[in-house]
Amino acid sequence: MRHHGYIRMKDGYEVQKEPLYYVYFPEITVSAGIEEAYLMKTRNGVELADNNDFDDMKFTEREIKAIDERYWAFAVPVEEEAE
């Protein structure tokens, strides 16, 4: 049985999943008509995107703070998908 926030390992142990977050900037103009943005991982670091549809937009707290501690104020928890 899988518990909320945990992953069951094949040896029967369960480990807690590290929470994931989007970094959401609600009032930033990326381009004409787009006035909100999300941080997205790229090969060269990070950039802004206009949606949060990809796994490359999910960060741990440690990852966010490693980019810039000020971004933590814009972190929004990723909703867990039903299994």
Side-chain angles (χ1 to χ4, degrees):
M1 177 178 167
R2 196 172 275 187
H3 296 91
H4 180 72
Y6 288 82
I7 300 171
R8 184 175 204 91
M9 306 303 287
K10 69 179 180 179
D11 59 7
Y13 289 96
E14 291 184 352
V15 293
Q16 188 170 11
K17 292 191 296 185
E18 191 167 1
L20 296 175
Y21 303 88
Y22 297 114
V23 179
Y24 173 64
F25 302 102
E27 296 180 22
I28 187 171
T29 301
V30 178
S31 61
I34 300 173
E35 297 179 358
E36 63 182 19
Y38 293 86
L39 205 60
M40 181 173 75
K41 299 172 194 171
T42 67
R43 283 187 230 159
N44 299 321
V46 293
E47 64 183 45
L48 294 176
D50 64 354
N51 63 59
N52 66 348
D53 292 338
F54 304 99
D55 283 339
D56 290 345
M57 299 173 144
K58 297 175 184 176
F59 297 86
T60 64
E61 178 179 350
R62 186 178 314 124
E63 288 173 322
I64 294 168
K65 290 181 175 179
I67 298 165
D68 189 321
E69 292 241 357
R70 296 172 293 181
Y71 287 172
W72 182 242
F74 299 94
V76 177
V78 173
E79 302 268 334
E80 278 196 37
E81 296 176 10
E83 298 182 29

